[in-house]
Amino acid sequence: MKTAASAIDSIAAAYSTALHRISSLAPNARIFVDGWPTYVRDGGCPDLIGLRPADAATIQADFDRLDGVVAREAAAGATYIDTRPQSIGHDMCAPAGIRWFDPIVATETLVPYHPTLEGMRGVADIITQTIRSSGALH
């Protein structure tokens, strides 16, 4: 049985291949890839059904591992955009309207762990700001 960690690690080769393919098809393009924001804070959300502190740590650790794979593969020619710092405080434990991800009992998207509209805007703003500050947009 494949563990979550090995499943996450197994995407590295395909991700690397995709980035190299983009580079070969568009040799003058600047490639930007973004990482995963903070989904759940340390200690979890005691008021959310089914999300104990240990569960919260496991969920965030898996997203952090995925983020690490993407950052590592992007280092070979793409610009990695770290969305975690600006997402702190907007995790699924935050109040509706502030949180960037719906919790297990989803109220905004009806899909657990799915980005909310606020989350999609937040990540888009981080990406746009990074690309603009890089000088890639004229």
Side-chain angles (χ1 to χ4, degrees):
M1 184 171 157
K2 202 174 206 182
T3 66
S6 64
I8 291 167
D9 292 344
S10 72
I11 71 155
Y15 201 84
S16 176
T17 299
L19 290 174
H20 283 94
R21 179 79 173 140
I22 292 167
S23 291
S24 69
L25 293 172
N28 297 321
R30 292 205 39 207
I31 302 168
F32 293 85
V33 297
D34 66 305
W36 276 259
T38 302
Y39 273 73
V40 63
R41 63 187 64 167
D42 289 341
C45 317
D47 55 333
L48 293 179
I49 299 169
L51 190 59
R52 301 171 302 160
D55 297 331
T58 298
I59 291 166
Q60 189 58 53
D62 287 344
F63 281 111
D64 290 345
R65 186 177 198 104
L66 184 57
D67 205 33
V69 168
V70 170
R72 185 179 64 244
E73 297 308 318
T79 298
Y80 170 74
I81 302 171
D82 186 1
T83 59
R84 284 205 61 199
Q86 290 175 272
S87 70
I88 294 171
H90 296 284
D91 59 87
M92 70 175 75
C93 300
I98 295 172
R99 69 174 166 242
W100 289 8
F101 299 95
D102 251 347
I104 293 171
V105 180
T107 59
E108 294 181 54
T109 66
L110 304 180
V111 181
Y113 307 129
H114 194 75
T116 63
L117 182 57
E118 186 69 27
M120 289 184 266
R121 284 182 182 143
V123 171
D125 287 347
I126 296 167
I127 292 168
T128 302
Q129 179 182 39
T130 302
I131 292 171
R132 283 190 176 134
S133 68
S134 76
L137 297 177
H138 304 287

